[in-house]
Amino acid sequence: MNSPDSRPADPRPLYARATEQAAALIATVRPEQLTAPTPCTEFDVRALLGHVVGSSRRIAVIGAGGDGLAVDTSTDGVPDDGWSAVYEEVRTRVLEAWASEERMAATVRAPWGEVPGSAALTGYVMELVTHTWDLNEALGRPMALDAELAEFSLANARRVLAEPERDARVPFGSAQPVAEGAGAYEQLAAWLGRRPLSRA
C-alpha cells in the first residue's frame, strides 16, 4: 500500500506517541459518556473503545509474528470504568511486540494484506490517531491533540487512499468537504469520511 521511499523508516516513535495520547484521552472517559455518539457513525463511545482495544490486540499479535486475522478482538465484559486499565495493558503489549528491529522489515499479515512491518505499523498510526480524534469529538474535545501525529497520518491517508470517492469495499467513507484553513486533524477526519459532531 505504501511506497517504501515515502514513509519514515521507523514509525514506532510516532505510534508510541499516538498510544500515549489515546491513553490520556481514554482515562478521561466517564461511564455516562459510553453511549454518546461519535463521528465514526457505526460506533458509540463504548463500541469505539472496544474497536481501539480489539485492534490493539491484533497489532500486538502481528508484532509478535502471529496471524493478526486470527485474533479474538472481542471486548465483552470490560466494566464501564475499566477501559483505561484495559487499554494501558494492551498498548504496553503492542510496544513490547514491536520493539525488535526485525519487525520493521519482516512481512506481516495485516487485515489489508501482507506488507512490511513498517507499512503495517504506519497504517495503525493512522487508524489510532483518527479514532483518537473521533473519541475527542465525542467527549466534547477535552484535549488538545498532537498536530504532528495528524500531519503524519494525513500524508499516509492521502497516499494509501488516493481516490476521494470510495465504495463499500473500503473501510472509510468518501472524503468530505473541509473548510479552508482547517487544521490537520480536521483534514484527516474529512479525508477519511468523517464530519465533526454538531455542537448545537
Side-chain angles (χ1 to χ4, degrees):
M1 294 178 65
N2 288 323
S3 165
D5 295 328
S6 60
R7 64 177 181 268
D10 189 349
R12 289 175 296 179
L14 287 167
Y15 184 78
R17 279 168 54 187
T19 70
E20 289 168 5
Q21 175 171 262
L25 184 59
I26 291 170
T28 74
V29 177
R30 302 187 305 274
E32 63 267 26
Q33 294 174 306
L34 291 171
T35 57
T38 78
C40 194
T41 54
E42 67 266 37
F43 295 144
D44 62 10
V45 168
R46 187 195 308 275
L48 178 61
L49 293 172
H51 178 70
V52 169
V53 169
S55 294
S56 298
R57 288 176 179 164
R58 176 175 286 123
I59 305 163
V61 170
I62 291 171
D67 182 356
L69 301 186
V71 177
D72 179 6
T73 60
S74 170
T75 55
D76 294 344
V78 175
D80 288 355
D81 62 354
W83 290 102
S84 181
V86 168
Y87 183 67
E88 284 289 353
E89 185 273 333
V90 73
R91 83 180 185 100
T92 299
R93 283 175 49 202
V94 175
L95 296 175
E96 290 174 351
W98 286 90
S100 165
E101 294 295 330
E102 287 75 16
R103 299 314 301 157
M104 294 295 97
T107 298
V108 301
R109 189 180 182 202
W112 56 86
E114 293 190 352
V115 294
S118 59
L121 198 58
T122 295
Y124 280 119
V125 173
M126 181 185 79
E127 180 184 34
L128 180 57
V129 169
T130 303
H131 285 321
T132 300
W133 180 86
D134 290 329
L135 181 59
N136 201 47
E137 281 287 303
L139 300 178
R141 304 174 189 163
M143 279 180 53
L145 301 180
D146 183 333
E148 185 180 352
L149 292 175
E151 291 161 2
F152 171 84
S153 299
L154 177 60
N156 188 53
R158 287 177 170 162
R159 188 164 53 243
V160 300
L161 294 167
E163 295 299 324
E165 296 296 325
R166 298 156 200 150
D167 59 27
R169 294 171 295 178
V170 179
F172 298 99
S174 295
Q176 299 296 312
V178 64
E180 185 176 351
Y185 275 96
E186 289 74 19
Q187 293 181 59
L188 172 65
W191 190 253
L192 296 180
R194 285 144 162 83
R195 295 178 182 272
L197 294 176
S198 171
R199 298 296 168 191

